[in-house]
Amino acid sequence: MKRMFYSNNCSNKRVCFSENTKSDSSFSDDSIPPHHFHLGQDVYAAVTYFATMVQVHLRLYKRDGNNRLFPTKRGVCFSPMLWQSFVNQIEQMNTSSSVEENVLIKDSLMISTVFIENIPNIILQRYFKKKDYSKKFEPGMCVLSENNWLELQRVHKNITESVMWLTFDRMLRNLLLSEASKIMPSAVVNTDASEVELVLTTSLIELLCDYLGNSIADVFDCYGCV
């Protein structure tokens, strides 16, 4: 199985996180957007909603002429299910070991520990199985230093919370807009919400997330899980 590498020219191209291609996904160091997590250097984890899907990205960011950070194609993305399977492996992998290893997750993600000048690096790359059952790597990969990996271990629960929040947000928002369209067909077109509807649904989602979070915490406290 051959691993594919890509030139820096390709990896430096911007990645769009919004369905609106004109939307600017860049940001400054002092204004990191919600659901973005700094893993060290210019590597970030980001939870986004794009093309009707919640996705988790681990990506290298570059700086433009105004010193603003923007996501590049040098990275990988996960569905919520793949992310959860990946999370189960995060704490089990030991970067301090001197042994190089490969871990395959759900037949779509390879995690490799490699040593460059005796320094451990974690390489993540997506792949898919061809009809002849051979594996083909997708363009783009994510290379994490040991410090990046340790920070990912530290914040992965926060990332999972963002995944749950965005998933509930979109699911409930679509449900509410669907019901609203039955009552006021002319008020909701193509599931686009008015400013008032957005405020109401966002408030309701926040209340529901807080309620669920507190309820789960109460159950854990009751059974001595925390």
Side-chain angles (χ1 to χ4, degrees):
M1 180 169 55
K2 295 182 179 179
R3 184 182 298 281
M4 296 181 69
F5 293 90
Y6 298 89
S7 68
N8 289 331
N9 291 336
C10 176
S11 63
N12 287 343
K13 292 182 179 179
R14 291 175 181 255
V15 171
C16 181
F17 283 165
S18 171
E19 293 180 1
N20 178 5
T21 56
K22 295 182 180 180
S23 177
D24 184 10
S25 56
S26 67
F27 57 89
S28 61
D29 292 290
D30 58 356
S31 60
I32 300 176
H35 311 302
H36 284 62
F37 304 86
H38 189 203
L39 302 182
Q41 290 84 46
D42 286 338
V43 179
Y44 284 81
V47 184
T48 67
Y49 182 80
F50 181 74
T52 71
M53 293 181 61
V54 173
Q55 296 178 325
V56 182
H57 295 257
L58 298 179
R59 294 197 177 275
L60 175 69
Y61 280 60
K62 290 290 186 180
R63 296 179 183 272
D64 61 19
N66 297 318
N67 202 35
R68 292 176 62 84
L69 291 153
F70 64 88
T72 71
K73 291 189 176 181
R74 189 174 178 184
V76 294
C77 67
F78 307 77
S79 67
M81 292 184 63
L82 181 58
W83 168 255
Q84 191 57 50
S85 298
F86 171 66
V87 163
N88 295 335
Q89 290 287 336
I90 287 179
E91 295 182 353
Q92 297 179 23
M93 293 190 65
N94 182 13
T95 57
S96 63
S97 171
S98 59
V99 179
E100 295 189 348
E101 61 176 327
N102 294 323
V103 177
L104 303 180
I105 299 180
K106 297 184 77 68
D107 267 339
S108 60
L109 174 68
M110 173 179 280
I111 310 173
S112 304
T113 305
V114 299
F115 288 82
I116 302 174
E117 297 181 353
N118 295 323
I119 299 176
N121 289 264
I122 307 297
I123 298 177
L124 300 96
Q125 191 167 12
R126 297 291 304 273
Y127 68 89
F128 61 90
K129 277 189 174 181
K130 300 170 68 175
K131 290 184 178 180
D132 61 1
Y133 297 102
S134 63
K135 296 180 177 64
K136 181 175 181 179
F137 287 100
E138 297 180 3
M141 66 171 63
C142 181
V143 181
L144 302 178
S145 67
E146 184 176 20
N147 288 337
N148 295 151
W149 184 257
L150 292 175
E151 181 63 14
L152 182 60
Q153 288 181 330
R154 189 183 72 82
V155 302
H156 72 80
K157 291 182 180 179
N158 303 90
I159 298 173
T160 299
E161 289 176 359
S162 285
V163 172
M164 294 177 63
W165 196 96
L166 276 181
T167 300
F168 274 115
D169 174 274
R170 293 300 170 172
M171 181 176 66
L172 190 56
R173 189 185 301 278
N174 290 337
L175 178 61
L176 291 174
L177 291 176
S178 175
E179 292 301 315
S181 67
K182 296 176 182 178
I183 300 172
M184 300 176 294
S186 61
V188 181
V189 180
N190 295 327
T191 69
D192 288 335
S194 67
E195 184 175 353
V196 174
E197 288 168 336
L198 285 173
V199 172
L200 291 174
T201 54
T202 299
S203 299
L204 180 58
I205 289 165
E206 290 175 347
L207 289 172
L208 179 60
C209 288
D210 287 341
Y211 173 77
L212 290 175
N214 292 332
S215 298
I216 293 171
D218 290 342
V219 171
F220 281 170
D221 287 338
C222 179
Y223 288 91
C225 297
V226 295

